[in-house]
Amino acid sequence: MQETRKREIRKKADSFRGKCNNNGYGIIDLFKECEAQGYKLVRYPLGDDADLGFTLKKDNDIVIFTNSCSRLSREIFTLAHEIGHVNLHMNDTSSFVDDSITINGRSADEKEQEANYYAACLLMPDDDARRFIDLMIPDFKDKGLAAMDIARLMSEFNVSFDMTLNRLENLEIIDSNQKLCLDNERTMRTVGNLLRSVGGNAKLNEPSNVVDIPYEYIDYVIYNYNHNAIPKETLERVLDCYQLSIEDINDKLDVKMDDSDDDLEDLIGGLED
């Protein structure tokens, strides 16, 4: 990626970040900030082996999905990655689907690499990372960083241990040997224990399994039900999220159908019709 393109991406990430509430360093709640920007955010525990997230444009709406079966820190990074697609690529492409290959940086696709760079800049900007280390880890110049320091950083910026290491290496704050030593220390002590030892946010290392669906999503699900795309059980499950029953929306139903297996593609298919 050319430096001119990196600078452009940093500017776009900084612009979005400037609209967010932060704790002095990290964005407090990227999910709320996403909704505040008018995006339709869907969080659903789709399963450990399913896609991590997707973004699509439907008319004037931007719909972002994140799989809440992921560890919270990974789900946050996925969301930042999808916001990157929205702000960098939506003029050329109407949808993106992301899995562990694209989110972990193993894809050769240029747009996926750019979205990952955007996410890193959004969640842990260069200046803020250096400022935190300077002010909160005073013996850094003499002793370097320990795994507990990485846990402090990940808790402050709401990111994963791996993302913190990768970001610090890319910023040339640590080198590859130091990264390996920190990774080995993490393996011996575990991230959960490290977070607890520094009074950090241990929830970052656990899946949230949150179900958060915009109210407008009911119309999408009803559309799919009426077009024989999803079974009754899926409709009932979505309605249950809103504490509604089929009787409450019976006047909007015009097709009854046989039960069949459902998946994410079926559930949101009406968005692309």
Side-chain angles (χ1 to χ4, degrees):
M1 195 185 314
Q2 294 184 348
E3 184 55 40
T4 53
R5 180 56 173 165
K6 285 186 175 181
R7 187 179 300 111
E8 181 182 350
I9 293 172
R10 290 196 299 269
K11 287 177 65 176
K12 288 181 178 292
D14 186 65
S15 176
F16 186 94
R17 185 181 172 85
K19 303 170 186 176
C20 300
N21 293 315
N22 63 71
N23 57 13
Y25 299 98
I27 297 172
I28 296 173
D29 190 333
L30 188 58
F31 299 103
K32 287 184 178 180
E33 301 298 345
C34 182
E35 293 174 334
Q37 296 302 314
Y39 304 151
K40 305 299 183 183
L41 177 62
V42 179
R43 300 175 67 191
Y44 193 85
L46 200 60
D48 294 333
D49 298 324
D51 290 328
L52 298 179
F54 69 74
T55 305
L56 63 86
K57 188 173 184 179
K58 168 67 175 177
D59 299 326
N60 294 322
D61 287 337
I62 297 294
V63 180
I64 296 178
F65 168 84
T66 59
N67 184 353
S68 60
C69 277
S70 303
R71 293 189 311 275
L72 179 58
S73 57
R74 192 181 203 188
E75 187 187 1
I76 291 171
F77 187 86
T78 298
L79 177 57
H81 178 103
E82 302 306 333
I83 294 172
H85 280 314
V86 171
N87 286 287
L88 299 174
H89 307 132
M90 273 301 181
N91 290 334
D92 303 323
T93 308
S94 61
S95 65
F96 293 88
V97 178
D98 291 293
D99 56 18
S100 59
I101 293 176
T102 58
I103 296 297
N104 290 345
R106 299 198 303 271
S107 171
D109 186 278
E110 185 177 35
K111 289 182 178 179
E112 297 301 341
Q113 293 175 358
E114 289 182 350
N116 274 341
Y117 184 67
Y118 179 100
C121 294
L122 176 64
L123 295 174
M124 187 181 284
D126 186 345
D127 290 346
D128 289 318
R130 295 182 191 277
R131 182 164 58 90
F132 181 87
I133 292 171
D134 178 51
L135 299 179
M136 305 306 293
I137 310 176
D139 57 355
F140 165 67
K141 291 184 178 180
D142 296 326
K143 299 181 179 180
L145 294 173
M148 287 179 63
D149 297 320
I150 303 302
R152 293 187 181 96
L153 280 159
M154 65 177 288
S155 189
E156 193 70 25
F157 289 94
N158 287 316
V159 295
S160 69
F161 199 96
D162 286 330
M163 187 269 174
T164 305
L165 291 184
N166 291 334
R167 183 64 169 152
L168 294 178
E169 183 182 28
N170 291 335
L171 295 175
E172 299 183 349
I173 294 174
I174 62 174
D175 59 30
S176 58
N177 289 331
Q178 291 169 317
K179 178 182 176 182
L180 180 60
C181 290
L182 289 165
D183 193 41
N184 289 337
E185 188 178 353
R186 178 264 299 271
T187 301
M188 290 187 293
R189 302 185 62 180
T190 77
V191 173
N193 287 336
L194 287 166
L195 285 169
R196 284 186 286 273
S197 69
V198 299
N201 182 8
K203 291 182 179 180
L204 287 169
N205 201 44
E206 303 169 355
S208 68
N209 291 310
V210 163
V211 175
D212 185 5
I213 307 174
Y215 191 81
E216 299 93 323
Y217 193 69
I218 294 178
D219 292 333
Y220 301 144
V221 177
I222 292 174
Y223 174 94
N224 280 323
Y225 181 81
N226 285 335
H227 286 76
N228 203 24
I230 60 172
K232 180 180 178 182
E233 285 74 12
T234 299
L235 176 64
E236 290 176 327
R237 191 168 58 198
V238 173
L239 292 175
D240 187 59
C241 296
Y242 300 95
Q243 298 182 325
L244 295 173
S245 67
I246 285 184
E247 287 72 23
D248 294 319
I249 51 97
N250 194 53
D251 58 326
K252 296 184 178 182
L253 304 181
D254 40 63
V255 175
K256 308 300 180 186
M257 70 197 89
D258 296 331
D259 292 345
S260 60
D261 293 336
D262 64 293
D263 57 27
L264 178 65
E265 183 177 351
D266 293 334
L267 190 61
I268 55 88
L271 289 171
E272 300 180 302
D273 289 341

